Amino acid sequence: MIAGGYTGRILRANLTTKTFAEETLDERLAREYIGGAGFGIYYLYHEVPAKADPLGPENKLIFASGPLCGTDAPCASRMSVTGKSPLTGAVGMAMTGGHFPAELKFAGYDAMIIEGVADEPTYLLIKNGKVLFRNARHLWGMSSFDCQHFIKNELKDEGLRIACIGPAGENLSRLAAIINERHAAGRKGLGAVMGSKNLKAIAVRGDDPVPIADKEAFTKAKTRMLKAMKESPVLYPAFAKLGTPMVVEASWGLGTLPAKNWTATGEWSPNGRIDVESNDKHRVTNEYCYQCPVGCSQLKMVRGGKHKGAVSVPEFESMYCFGSHTGVESLDPIILADRICDELGIDSISAGVTVGFAMELFERGIITAKDTDGLELKFGNGDAMVEMIRKMAMKEGFGALFADGVRAAAERIGGDAGLYAQHVKGLEMPGYDVRGLKAHGLSLATAYTGADHNRGYAFQEVFGIPEPYPVDRFAIEGKGKLTRWNQDARCVTCDCAPMCAFLMDMAVPGIALENTADLVNGVSGLGLTPREVELAGERVNNLAKAFNTREGFTRADDILPARLMTEPIKEGASKGQYIPQEDLDSMLDEYYEDRGWTKDGRLTKGKLEELNLRVVAEELARAGLI
């Protein structure tokens, strides 16, 4: 039995039979996958069959925290949600924070596996080892915020923590997210998976503390990390005060803030529109996740005009997808759009990118006002943006055409529409123009989830941090090796342990693996070395690759949008930069070699066996996939 950090129990809830069971956490699973995304991808690969319908009964949702979650380790109330993505067909894994992840641990579980399909709208109540399947007919159709409020009132327990879907998930929009408080397990359409199971919400409550194996070692590790956090020149002096919107100006300075569906990077300026000063005028207060001393989430409110009173917590990605990407020049509609996404349960990045895509199609005449129910979908039209998001979530009118993201919309529209769809593997592009950030671009092309900046963030290029060594952001040499390290280190440190990704970027980049090992060992007693921790990240990425391989993904899918590979940035600090096919091929060759894969991007038996994935190697070999 593991000495601490884990509850040692995994909950399996079957919605079809309305039964549940508890399973004992295997120590080998903890050692080799740590937790979080590691647990999620392990169960996804082994329990969801190849070619399963993401919205069918064979798909599962795995909610998993890690050994640090629920302790007083700072910024560790994180949790992964994993399933087969209905948006991409690949691994769907999203991280979320707040208080729900810690509460799941207090309720007694390291992970919960949701399987089957309920015969009517249902919500789960998990309270100190008891699991109830409750009728949710009266909740179906409610916004996420109203749903959370109603359940707390219904059960007369304001201490409940609730994860739920809004109308977008109920309507099976492939952009649907899972919302807990103001936090989202966004992207990849996992809210639609929850909706397909007739599962409206999961409410948890517990009071079991997380055991600590070695309190002295754990305290020593925490003290070291807190010291690094305090000494960071960015974390408290800037990030805690400004939050992620500070990245708007950083990205603009690099010439990598995408604008107008990636046609005006370096030309469209955020100054006086969505910059730090503009954000500060709307700021109300900071919001904190459980045991977080930083409070990077900033609550903002519209203080005047027709959107007066709208409140949300828009991050940098919201400034991008609802601001520069759509050419909207005021924070007011951005705050409102972000709020609507949370209420209706739709991923903000994918929703905003889809709106910007539609705007370019409108301006090119590929779609007209006749197609858009009369909306003038021109760049800069904030009112049209807000209305389109609502229509997408509700699958109402022309919104149904775009409710499943840019790839599906381009296929439905046909013609040249696909040339303007900004995605990788079906997942819409986040807010970094990687034509000026080559390692970051390679990571988006190869990440197992598609265009997901959090699966291998190249902080070396974005923030100029020389760890593990300094890089030239325009160069392609060495970027394969760097990307492999970024993906593996970030996976285990941020997605498995788990820990807020911003700490890796701003506080512990030079000691990320050692710091993670010390914290995990202190709380659990597992005695892992930094190298074993790194191997856990590599193992998770390889297992995710195995799942995608089984689903038919190949080197041809490790690609970037056509615009980024053929059109140089026209203005700004990254003027002239782009990633032609030959440069991407060169980086891919180096990346595959460093990963121990074949030149065509296939897994190898040797690498899988090296990572103790012999069973996976045998399965893929029998299928002719390695």
Side-chain angles (χ1 to χ4, degrees):
M1 183 175 178
I2 305 170
Y6 301 91
T7 69
R9 293 187 292 170
I10 293 172
L11 173 67
R12 188 179 293 272
N14 190 301
L15 293 165
T16 302
T17 60
K18 290 185 170 58
T19 58
F20 73 94
E22 291 184 357
E23 300 172 1
T24 301
L25 174 66
D26 185 88
E27 182 175 333
R28 183 188 67 82
L29 185 65
R31 283 185 167 278
E32 295 190 350
Y33 295 90
I34 310 296
F39 288 1
I41 291 168
Y42 176 87
Y43 283 107
L44 179 72
Y45 178 86
H46 289 289
E47 297 193 6
V48 175
K51 311 302 180 182
D53 180 356
L55 299 179
E58 290 182 314
N59 200 8
K60 300 186 181 187
L61 278 177
I62 304 101
F63 294 72
S65 63
L68 302 184
C69 183
T71 71
D72 61 356
C75 310
S77 184
R78 305 284 295 167
M79 175 183 70
S80 68
V81 184
T82 308
K84 183 177 179 181
S85 168
L87 182 63
T88 67
V91 172
M93 194 287 290
M95 299 295 296
T96 186
H99 291 259
F100 185 97
E103 200 70 28
L104 181 62
K105 288 282 286 285
F106 301 151
Y109 299 108
D110 294 309
M112 59 180 171
I113 303 168
I114 309 296
E115 53 193 19
V117 178
D119 58 1
E120 61 181 355
T122 300
Y123 77 91
L124 291 179
L125 173 61
I126 302 168
K127 200 168 184 178
N128 288 329
K130 295 181 180 179
V131 181
L132 296 176
F133 297 79
R134 298 180 63 97
N135 190 290
R137 286 180 181 172
H138 57 305
L139 304 175
W140 209 253
M142 280 190 186
S143 74
S144 66
F145 293 160
D146 288 338
C147 176
Q148 294 177 65
H149 180 71
F150 194 96
I151 291 175
K152 290 180 180 182
N153 279 350
E154 181 175 68
L155 300 177
K156 296 179 175 57
D157 189 348
E158 288 297 318
L160 286 167
R161 301 296 179 176
I162 299 166
C164 65
I165 57 173
E170 298 170 6
N171 294 327
L172 305 186
S173 163
R174 294 173 191 261
L175 305 184
I178 300 171
I179 307 295
N180 59 290
E181 296 147 346
R182 296 183 189 276
H183 300 269
R187 321 226 63 198
K188 302 106 185 176
L190 297 175
V193 177
M194 200 160 156
S196 73
K197 296 183 176 301
N198 272 330
L199 181 61
K200 177 65 176 180
I202 303 167
V204 297
R205 187 81 148 93
D207 53 22
D208 290 341
V210 178
I212 307 298
D214 187 334
K215 292 183 179 179
E216 183 178 350
F218 187 51
T219 298
K220 183 178 179 181
K222 284 189 303 178
T223 300
R224 182 187 186 191
M225 186 172 72
L226 286 167
K227 182 175 183 291
M229 291 170 66
K230 290 177 182 178
E231 292 177 351
S232 167
V234 178
L235 187 63
Y236 286 113
F239 190 63
K241 296 178 181 178
L242 305 174
T244 60
M246 64 177 279
V247 182
V248 171
E249 293 186 17
S251 186
W252 165 250
L254 292 172
T256 57
L257 179 66
K260 297 185 177 181
N261 202 34
W262 299 60
T263 64
T265 299
E267 301 173 71
W268 190 94
S269 170
N271 297 330
R273 297 165 173 170
I274 58 172
D275 56 4
V276 167
E277 184 178 354
S278 302
N279 271 274
D280 196 53
K281 292 176 181 177
H282 290 77
R283 181 176 172 273
V284 177
T285 187
N286 287 32
E287 291 197 341
Y288 296 79
C289 296
Y290 177 82
Q291 288 292 348
C292 175
V294 180
C296 67
S297 292
Q298 295 196 331
L299 192 69
K300 295 185 175 70
M301 182 172 69
V302 178
R303 301 184 183 278
K306 58 187 172 184
H307 303 316
K308 183 178 180 179
V311 174
S312 73
V313 187
E315 305 287 356
F316 160 70
E317 293 290 348
S318 299
M319 306 296 164
Y320 146 70
C321 64
F322 299 135
S324 62
H325 181 73
T326 58
V328 171
E329 300 186 355
S330 168
L331 270 175
D332 292 1
I334 294 173
I335 292 172
L336 180 59
D338 193 63
R339 170 78 181 203
I340 289 174
C341 283
D342 288 345
E343 286 184 344
L344 300 184
I346 192 168
D347 176 59
S348 59
I349 299 177
S350 285
V353 171
T354 301
V355 172
F357 166 63
M359 286 177 167
E360 181 170 0
L361 296 184
F362 189 90
E363 296 212 346
R364 288 181 176 274
I366 295 174
I367 59 175
T368 68
K370 183 179 179 181
D371 303 304
T372 64
D373 302 337
L375 280 186
E376 289 288 315
L377 274 177
K378 293 183 177 180
F379 286 123
N381 190 338
D383 291 341
M385 172 181 70
V386 168
E387 179 60 12
M388 182 175 174
I389 292 169
R390 189 190 67 79
K391 283 179 173 286
M392 287 164 57
M394 303 305 292
K395 283 195 171 179
E396 177 185 302
F398 87 97
L401 177 66
F402 292 90
D404 295 327
V406 299
R407 182 170 67 177
E411 291 171 353
R412 292 164 183 167
I413 294 167
D416 291 335
L419 296 174
Y420 315 113
Q422 308 305 312
H423 70 89
V424 175
K425 299 179 177 70
L427 184 64
E428 288 74 18
M429 295 287 284
Y432 301 83
D433 195 323
V434 296
R435 287 175 287 189
L437 304 163
K438 302 302 169 65
H440 207 57
L442 179 62
S443 185
L444 295 187
T446 57
Y448 62 78
T449 50
D452 190 335
H453 61 292
N454 279 323
R455 303 286 77 79
Y457 194 94
F459 59 82
Q460 303 89 350
E461 294 180 337
V462 179
F463 296 119
I465 298 172
E467 297 290 350
Y469 44 77
V471 301
D472 174 356
R473 65 188 177 98
F474 294 149
I476 63 170
E477 295 78 11
K479 296 304 173 67
K481 182 178 180 179
L482 180 67
T483 297
R484 195 278 308 160
W485 187 89
N486 281 339
Q487 289 177 343
D488 291 349
R490 199 174 194 85
C491 174
V492 68
T493 294
C494 306
D495 298 347
C496 297
M499 184 183 295
C500 181
F502 300 124
L503 292 187
M504 180 169 176
D505 301 335
M506 300 178 188
V508 296
I511 57 169
L513 296 170
E514 181 182 354
N515 181 69
T516 300
D518 289 345
L519 287 168
V520 170
N521 290 335
V523 73
S524 70
L526 287 174
L528 301 170
T529 66
R531 177 56 183 156
E532 287 175 317
V533 167
E534 183 176 13
L535 282 172
E538 185 179 6
R539 184 175 296 111
V540 173
N541 275 311
N542 274 263
L543 187 58
K545 171 76 171 180
F547 181 91
N548 288 351
T549 297
R550 204 170 60 183
E551 295 301 319
F553 288 84
T554 68
R555 176 173 177 143
D557 297 292
D558 290 349
I559 195 73
L560 291 168
R563 174 164 283 156
L564 278 62
M565 301 180 68
T566 58
E567 300 177 17
I569 294 175
K570 298 174 185 176
E571 297 293 341
S574 293
K575 182 179 180 180
Q577 293 295 318
Y578 69 116
I579 304 178
Q581 184 67 59
E582 56 267 30
D583 284 1
L584 179 60
D585 284 340
S586 178
M587 292 191 291
L588 283 173
D589 288 346
E590 181 189 314
Y591 173 80
Y592 295 150
E593 182 178 3
D594 199 63
R595 280 230 171 267
W597 301 346
T598 67
K599 193 166 184 177
D600 59 355
R602 289 161 64 98
L603 289 159
T604 64
K605 181 181 178 183
K607 172 54 69 173
L608 290 172
E609 291 182 345
E610 176 188 323
L611 295 170
N612 202 18
L613 294 171
R614 182 182 298 275
V615 171
V616 176
E618 292 172 351
E619 291 175 349
L620 295 182
R622 285 195 298 270
L625 296 173
I626 60 172

